Amino acid sequence: MALGKTWTAVFRCYHCGGKFTIRHNPLDRIDALQAVYPCPFCSARPIVRIAPDESRGHRLVELNDEMETVYRKNPRGDTWHFHPACSHWPAQDYIALDMAPRTEHLCNECTVKALGRRGN
């Protein structure tokens, strides 16, 4: 997994007008999502044609850099990780949450790394 800033994009569907959010994407991927991602409400896929006036894509209505923390753990494990520089950060075969788990253990290494980052 490449570390780097990720973004949350909010699109409005060209077909039904529904607003939907796609999270955790590098900036260079946002244009591609606008042209290929299906609407989660009506399943409409953008239409890309050679003639620009014949193309239809979802409209980007909001773009935010992500400040929230993502929590990951191995499906068979009981420790949640939230710092990508952790030596035990799950890079594949993991469960992810966008909010802190309420009942399970948080990784001590992640906690130390997060505290160190705040101190800088």
Side-chain angles (χ1 to χ4, degrees):
M1 175 182 135
L3 298 180
K5 190 171 194 174
T6 58
W7 298 78
T8 295
V10 179
F11 292 101
R12 183 166 303 280
C13 176
Y14 76 90
H15 186 258
C16 73
K19 279 174 64 175
F20 59 95
T21 303
I22 305 173
R23 304 175 74 189
H24 312 297
N25 290 287
L27 190 58
D28 62 349
R29 191 169 170 212
I30 300 299
D31 280 341
L33 289 172
Q34 189 173 3
V36 299
Y37 200 85
C39 172
F41 302 109
C42 71
S43 301
R45 290 188 173 276
I47 301 167
V48 180
R49 303 237 199 272
I50 293 173
D53 59 332
E54 294 178 13
S55 293
R56 298 248 164 103
H58 305 305
R59 187 168 53 104
L60 181 64
V61 294
E62 190 175 329
L63 185 64
N64 296 308
D65 59 337
E66 296 180 345
M67 300 306 289
E68 76 274 358
T69 302
V70 176
Y71 296 83
R72 291 182 180 183
K73 78 169 192 146
N74 180 295
R76 295 165 297 286
D78 63 354
T79 302
W80 288 91
H81 302 274
F82 59 93
H83 199 286
C86 176
S87 62
H88 301 289
W89 177 254
Q92 56 188 3
D93 190 30
Y94 59 84
I95 299 168
L97 295 175
D98 289 329
M99 56 192 292
R102 294 185 180 194
T103 60
E104 296 187 44
H105 179 70
L106 293 178
C107 171
N108 290 332
E109 182 182 341
C110 289
T111 302
V112 169
K113 288 183 182 296
L115 290 173
R117 181 178 60 198
R118 288 184 198 135
N120 291 336

